[in-house]
Amino acid sequence: MWLGVMGALFFSVGSFAALLFEYIDRLFGTGAIVGYDPFSGALRFAIASLLVIFPVYVALTRLLNQDIRKNPEKKQLWVRRWAIFLTVFAAGIGLVVDLIVLIHKFLGGDELTASFLLKVLVIFLLLGGVFYYYLQDIKGRWEHNEKLSKQIGYAVVILVVVSIIGGFFIMGSPQTQRKLRQDRERIEGLTSLQFQITDYYRDKQELPETLDEL
Protein backbone atom coordinates (compact mmCIF):
# COMPACT_ATOMS: atom_id res chain seq x y z
CA MET A 1 0.00 0.00 0.00
CA TRP A 2 2.86 2.39 0.74
CA LEU A 3 4.44 1.74 -2.63
CA GLY A 4 1.04 2.22 -4.22
CA VAL A 5 0.37 5.52 -2.47
CA MET A 6 3.74 6.96 -3.51
CA GLY A 7 3.28 5.81 -7.10
CA ALA A 8 -0.19 7.37 -7.13
CA LEU A 9 1.23 10.55 -5.59
CA PHE A 10 3.83 11.18 -8.28
CA PHE A 11 1.49 10.16 -11.08
CA SER A 12 -1.11 12.59 -9.72
CA VAL A 13 1.45 15.38 -9.38
CA GLY A 14 2.61 14.80 -12.96
CA SER A 15 -0.95 14.76 -14.30
CA PHE A 16 -1.90 17.88 -12.33
CA ALA A 17 1.19 19.71 -13.59
CA ALA A 18 0.36 18.67 -17.17
CA LEU A 19 -3.19 19.98 -16.72
CA LEU A 20 -1.97 23.33 -15.40
CA PHE A 21 0.57 23.54 -18.22
CA GLU A 22 -2.27 23.18 -20.71
CA TYR A 23 -4.12 26.06 -19.04
CA ILE A 24 -0.97 28.20 -19.13
CA ASP A 25 -0.41 27.44 -22.83
CA ARG A 26 -3.98 28.43 -23.64
CA LEU A 27 -3.60 31.73 -21.80
CA PHE A 28 -0.04 32.76 -22.61
CA GLY A 29 1.67 30.19 -24.83
CA THR A 30 0.94 28.23 -28.00
CA GLY A 31 -2.71 27.93 -27.04
CA ALA A 32 -3.14 31.66 -27.62
CA ILE A 33 -2.02 31.33 -31.26
CA VAL A 34 -4.74 31.33 -33.91
CA GLY A 35 -5.06 27.85 -35.37
CA TYR A 36 -3.84 26.02 -32.26
CA ASP A 37 -5.81 22.86 -31.59
CA PRO A 38 -7.58 23.44 -28.24
CA PHE A 39 -8.75 19.83 -28.03
CA SER A 40 -5.38 18.08 -27.75
CA GLY A 41 -5.04 14.66 -26.20
CA ALA A 42 -2.73 15.99 -23.45
CA LEU A 43 -5.60 17.78 -21.75
CA ARG A 44 -7.91 14.77 -21.94
CA PHE A 45 -5.21 12.40 -20.68
CA ALA A 46 -4.38 14.66 -17.71
CA ILE A 47 -8.03 14.87 -16.67
CA ALA A 48 -8.59 11.13 -17.14
CA SER A 49 -5.50 10.34 -15.07
CA LEU A 50 -6.55 12.64 -12.23
CA LEU A 51 -10.07 11.24 -12.20
CA VAL A 52 -8.68 7.73 -11.64
CA ILE A 53 -5.32 8.03 -9.87
CA PHE A 54 -5.95 10.96 -7.51
CA PRO A 55 -8.91 9.33 -5.69
CA VAL A 56 -6.72 6.21 -5.28
CA TYR A 57 -4.01 8.35 -3.69
CA VAL A 58 -6.47 10.08 -1.34
CA ALA A 59 -8.11 6.80 -0.28
CA LEU A 60 -4.81 4.99 0.34
CA THR A 61 -3.37 7.95 2.26
CA ARG A 62 -6.43 8.13 4.48
CA LEU A 63 -6.38 4.39 5.18
CA LEU A 64 -2.68 4.35 6.01
CA ASN A 65 -2.88 7.41 8.28
CA GLN A 66 -5.82 5.93 10.17
CA ASP A 67 -3.97 2.65 10.52
CA ILE A 68 -0.88 4.35 11.95
CA ARG A 69 -2.95 6.29 14.47
CA LYS A 70 -4.41 2.99 15.68
CA ASN A 71 -1.12 1.07 15.46
CA PRO A 72 1.77 3.53 16.07
CA GLU A 73 4.34 0.73 15.75
CA LYS A 74 3.61 0.54 12.01
CA LYS A 75 5.25 3.92 11.64
CA GLN A 76 8.59 2.10 11.80
CA LEU A 77 7.87 -0.23 8.87
CA TRP A 78 10.91 -0.17 6.62
CA VAL A 79 8.84 0.17 3.45
CA ARG A 80 7.06 3.21 4.88
CA ARG A 81 10.27 4.89 5.98
CA TRP A 82 12.03 4.29 2.68
CA ALA A 83 9.00 5.34 0.64
CA ILE A 84 8.71 8.66 2.49
CA PHE A 85 12.45 9.32 2.51
CA LEU A 86 12.69 8.68 -1.23
CA THR A 87 9.66 10.90 -1.84
CA VAL A 88 11.20 13.79 0.09
CA PHE A 89 14.52 13.23 -1.70
CA ALA A 90 12.90 13.13 -5.14
CA ALA A 91 10.84 16.26 -4.42
CA GLY A 92 13.96 18.06 -3.19
CA ILE A 93 15.90 17.11 -6.32
CA GLY A 94 12.98 18.30 -8.43
CA LEU A 95 12.99 21.69 -6.69
CA VAL A 96 16.73 22.09 -7.29
CA VAL A 97 16.41 21.14 -10.97
CA ASP A 98 13.49 23.55 -11.37
CA LEU A 99 15.61 26.44 -10.06
CA ILE A 100 18.61 25.38 -12.18
CA VAL A 101 16.46 25.47 -15.34
CA LEU A 102 15.21 28.96 -14.44
CA ILE A 103 18.70 30.36 -13.74
CA HIS A 104 20.19 28.62 -16.79
CA LYS A 105 17.60 30.20 -19.07
CA PHE A 106 18.14 33.61 -17.46
CA LEU A 107 21.95 33.44 -17.79
CA GLY A 108 21.59 32.38 -21.41
CA GLY A 109 19.84 35.63 -22.21
CA ASP A 110 16.67 33.85 -23.30
CA GLU A 111 13.36 35.63 -22.98
CA LEU A 112 11.61 34.72 -19.74
CA THR A 113 8.06 34.58 -20.99
CA ALA A 114 5.03 34.57 -18.74
CA SER A 115 4.28 31.01 -19.86
CA PHE A 116 7.74 29.76 -18.87
CA LEU A 117 7.76 31.55 -15.50
CA LEU A 118 4.32 30.25 -14.61
CA LYS A 119 5.35 26.67 -15.45
CA VAL A 120 8.44 27.03 -13.26
CA LEU A 121 6.23 28.35 -10.47
CA VAL A 122 3.77 25.47 -10.86
CA ILE A 123 6.54 22.88 -10.54
CA PHE A 124 8.05 24.71 -7.57
CA LEU A 125 4.74 24.91 -5.69
CA LEU A 126 3.73 21.30 -6.41
CA LEU A 127 7.07 19.76 -5.47
CA GLY A 128 7.45 22.19 -2.59
CA GLY A 129 4.08 21.07 -1.23
CA VAL A 130 5.06 17.40 -1.50
CA PHE A 131 8.43 18.11 0.13
CA TYR A 132 6.88 20.02 3.05
CA TYR A 133 4.05 17.58 3.71
CA TYR A 134 6.18 14.46 3.84
CA LEU A 135 9.02 16.15 5.69
CA GLN A 136 6.47 16.98 8.38
CA ASP A 137 5.25 13.39 8.17
CA ILE A 138 8.76 12.17 8.99
CA LYS A 139 8.69 14.40 12.08
CA GLY A 140 5.35 12.87 13.10
CA ARG A 141 3.39 16.12 12.91
CA TRP A 142 0.29 14.67 11.25
CA GLU A 143 -0.14 11.92 13.83
CA HIS A 144 -0.73 14.52 16.53
CA ASN A 145 -2.47 17.09 14.38
CA GLU A 146 -5.12 15.17 12.50
CA LYS A 147 -7.32 18.25 12.02
CA LEU A 148 -4.64 20.20 10.12
CA SER A 149 -3.81 17.13 8.03
CA LYS A 150 -7.46 16.82 7.01
CA GLN A 151 -7.70 20.54 6.23
CA ILE A 152 -4.70 20.28 3.90
CA GLY A 153 -6.27 17.21 2.29
CA TYR A 154 -9.59 18.97 1.73
CA ALA A 155 -7.83 22.02 0.23
CA VAL A 156 -5.87 19.84 -2.21
CA VAL A 157 -9.00 17.91 -3.21
CA ILE A 158 -10.92 21.14 -3.86
CA LEU A 159 -8.04 22.54 -5.94
CA VAL A 160 -7.85 19.40 -8.09
CA VAL A 161 -11.63 19.21 -8.56
CA VAL A 162 -11.83 22.88 -9.60
CA SER A 163 -8.99 22.34 -12.08
CA ILE A 164 -10.71 19.31 -13.59
CA ILE A 165 -14.01 21.20 -13.91
CA GLY A 166 -12.12 24.00 -15.66
CA GLY A 167 -10.81 21.44 -18.14
CA PHE A 168 -14.34 20.41 -19.06
CA PHE A 169 -15.21 24.04 -19.75
CA ILE A 170 -12.30 24.21 -22.18
CA MET A 171 -12.89 20.86 -23.88
CA GLY A 172 -16.64 20.72 -23.70
CA SER A 173 -18.66 17.59 -22.95
CA PRO A 174 -17.93 14.20 -24.58
CA GLN A 175 -20.88 14.91 -26.91
CA THR A 176 -19.26 18.20 -27.94
CA GLN A 177 -15.97 16.38 -28.55
CA ARG A 178 -17.77 13.84 -30.72
CA LYS A 179 -19.37 16.60 -32.83
CA LEU A 180 -16.07 18.40 -33.20
CA ARG A 181 -14.40 15.19 -34.36
CA GLN A 182 -17.17 14.67 -36.92
CA ASP A 183 -16.76 18.25 -38.16
CA ARG A 184 -13.03 17.70 -38.50
CA GLU A 185 -13.63 14.55 -40.56
CA ARG A 186 -16.01 16.46 -42.82
CA ILE A 187 -13.42 19.20 -43.34
CA GLU A 188 -10.75 16.63 -44.17
CA GLY A 189 -13.13 14.96 -46.63
CA LEU A 190 -13.95 18.24 -48.36
CA THR A 191 -10.25 19.14 -48.53
CA SER A 192 -9.46 15.79 -50.12
CA LEU A 193 -12.31 16.30 -52.58
CA GLN A 194 -10.96 19.73 -53.49
CA PHE A 195 -7.53 18.30 -54.33
CA GLN A 196 -9.07 15.53 -56.40
CA ILE A 197 -11.14 18.00 -58.43
CA THR A 198 -8.06 20.15 -58.98
CA ASP A 199 -6.07 17.14 -60.21
CA TYR A 200 -8.96 16.09 -62.45
CA TYR A 201 -9.12 19.55 -64.03
CA ARG A 202 -5.35 19.66 -64.48
CA ASP A 203 -5.39 16.34 -66.34
CA LYS A 204 -8.52 16.82 -68.50
CA GLN A 205 -8.98 20.60 -68.59
CA GLU A 206 -12.60 20.23 -67.50
CA LEU A 207 -14.54 19.73 -64.30
CA PRO A 208 -16.24 16.43 -63.46
CA GLU A 209 -20.02 16.51 -63.71
CA THR A 210 -20.57 13.97 -60.90
CA LEU A 211 -18.65 12.47 -58.00
CA ASP A 212 -18.85 9.07 -59.72
CA GLU A 213 -17.02 10.50 -62.71
CA LEU A 214 -14.42 11.98 -60.38
Side-chain angles (χ1 to χ4, degrees):
M1 288 180 69
W2 276 105
L3 292 176
V5 77
M6 292 310 168
L9 167 66
F10 281 102
F11 202 92
S12 296
V13 169
S15 299
F16 190 54
L19 181 61
L20 295 182
F21 282 7
E22 287 292 316
Y23 291 161
I24 292 171
D25 282 339
R26 279 161 173 73
L27 292 174
F28 303 101
T30 55
I33 299 175
V34 175
Y36 177 80
D37 180 9
F39 309 104
S40 63
L43 183 61
R44 294 198 303 271
F45 184 78
I47 291 177
S49 299
L50 284 174
L51 287 173
V52 176
I53 301 297
F54 184 68
V56 172
Y57 167 71
V58 172
L60 287 177
T61 300
R62 185 171 179 81
L63 286 174
L64 289 170
N65 286 342
Q66 290 176 343
D67 190 33
I68 288 178
R69 291 188 183 100
K70 294 178 181 178
N71 306 284
E73 67 277 5
K74 289 188 176 183
K75 182 182 178 182
Q76 303 304 321
L77 286 173
W78 70 270
V79 66
R80 175 188 181 275
R81 293 174 62 84
W82 274 103
I84 293 180
F85 288 151
L86 288 175
T87 297
V88 172
F89 178 75
I93 292 295
L95 288 171
V96 171
V97 171
D98 189 47
L99 292 176
I100 289 175
V101 170
L102 174 62
I103 296 173
H104 176 267
K105 194 173 182 68
F106 172 75
L107 294 178
D110 296 330
E111 181 184 0
L112 299 180
T113 63
S115 175
F116 173 76
L117 292 175
L118 284 174
K119 289 179 179 179
V120 169
L121 180 61
V122 164
I123 295 297
F124 188 84
L125 292 178
L126 288 178
L127 294 182
V130 172
F131 183 87
Y132 171 79
Y133 182 86
Y134 284 100
L135 185 63
Q136 296 301 315
D137 196 358
I138 292 175
K139 297 178 180 180
R141 183 177 183 182
W142 310 129
E143 298 172 46
H144 309 293
N145 201 336
E146 182 180 358
K147 183 178 179 181
L148 179 59
S149 177
K150 288 184 177 180
Q151 289 175 345
I152 293 175
Y154 292 145
V156 172
V157 169
I158 291 173
L159 180 62
V160 172
V161 170
V162 170
S163 299
I164 291 175
I165 293 174
F168 282 112
F169 277 106
I170 292 177
M171 291 194 313
S173 66
Q175 182 179 4
T176 300
Q177 286 289 305
R178 192 177 303 111
K179 290 181 179 179
L180 288 169
R181 190 175 298 110
Q182 292 171 350
D183 285 345
R184 187 174 305 163
E185 291 173 355
R186 292 188 185 98
I187 292 174
E188 291 174 354
L190 291 171
T191 302
S192 175
L193 184 61
Q194 176 187 1
F195 284 124
Q196 292 179 43
I197 293 174
T198 302
D199 291 339
Y200 185 96
Y201 182 81
R202 185 183 300 112
D203 294 338
K204 300 189 177 184
Q205 298 302 313
E206 63 178 4
L207 293 175
E209 296 184 0
T210 64
L211 290 179
D212 291 336
E213 183 180 353
L214 179 64

